[in-house]
Every structure is written in C-alpha cells, then in structure tokens.
Amino acid sequence: QVQLEESGGGLVQAGGSLRLSCAASGRAFSSGYMGWFRQAPGKEREFVAAINWARGNTYYADSVKGRFTISRDNAKNTVYLQMNSLKPEDTAVYYCAAGRYGGTWSVSGRLDDYAYWGQGTQVTVSS
C-alpha cells in the first residue's frame, strides 16, 4: 500500500518562501510520476506541479511557473516543492499524489491520473 506523508506547510508573508516535502513509501519509485495539487476553501482541487521519478522531467501549472520548483530525491523516495515569491492566492491545502501509471517520461496534471494521495499540509500566505 502506497503511503504519502507531506510536511513543510505553515504561515508565511507574501513574497516569502516555503519548501514542502512528500515522503513516499510502500513500493518502488523508479518510474512513474508524482504531483502536487492544492485546494483553497470553496474551490476545486487544482494541479500545481508534477515530476517523473526516472527522468526528472517536470510540468507546471501556469499560475506557479517561474515561482515554484518541483524536485525529487530518488534515494529518499521524497518529492519537494520549493515555493518562492508566494502570494495570498497561493493559500490552500497542498496535497502530494502518486501517479496511476508508470513510464520514464510520463507526467500529468489530471486528478484522475493519480491513484494515491497524502493527507495534505496547510499553506497560508498573509498579505
């Protein structure tokens, strides 16, 4: 059973930075992809960023491109989301997710392409 545990959320002022971590366990993570999503109060869960375990290729939502960086540490089965230049509209619960499919180049921004989800970590950006 795949388990995902997020950490690193918190309260930060606009313009500040946070780094989220997602520790994955339960199976080998040598291929396939991981993603970060977020959900603000009253809104649908939305895609933030994704990365492939094997090649490290990445994919970002337009709203975070240039500000957020997703990375992975294969030895630790951990994925990170470095968030810089944070804005109040980035306030949300951030979820880590493990992809449903394998592959050495695959990434996805679709919720349905993810099979496992973490509990989420709150990120609050004050103005």
Side-chain angles (χ1 to χ4, degrees), residues 17-77:
S17 298
L18 281 175
R19 188 176 83 153
L20 306 183
S21 299
C22 173
S25 61
R27 68 167 171 83
F29 292 94
S30 57
S31 65
Y33 50 96
M34 296 285 290
W36 286 97
F37 290 77
R38 66 187 182 186
Q39 188 165 17
K43 295 188 176 181
E44 293 185 351
R45 192 169 297 189
E46 65 174 7
F47 169 72
V48 175
I51 189 166
N52 186 279
W53 281 112
R55 302 284 187 176
N57 49 300
T58 58
Y59 175 44
Y60 294 93
D62 288 343
S63 58
V64 305
K65 205 171 292 182
R67 300 188 298 123
F68 291 11
T69 302
I70 188 171
S71 61
R72 92 279 190 223
D73 184 331
N74 292 60
K76 296 181 179 179
N77 282 350

Side-chain angles (χ1 to χ4, degrees), residues 4 6-7 10-11 19 26 29 32 37 44-45 49 56-57 71-72 77 96-98 108 114 116 120-121 124:
L4 305 175
E6 302 101 334
S7 61
L11 173 64
R19 188 176 83 153
F29 292 94
F37 290 77
E44 293 185 351
R45 192 169 297 189
N57 49 300
S71 61
R72 92 279 190 223
N77 282 350
C96 172
S108 175
Y114 290 83
Y116 302 96
T121 185
T124 303

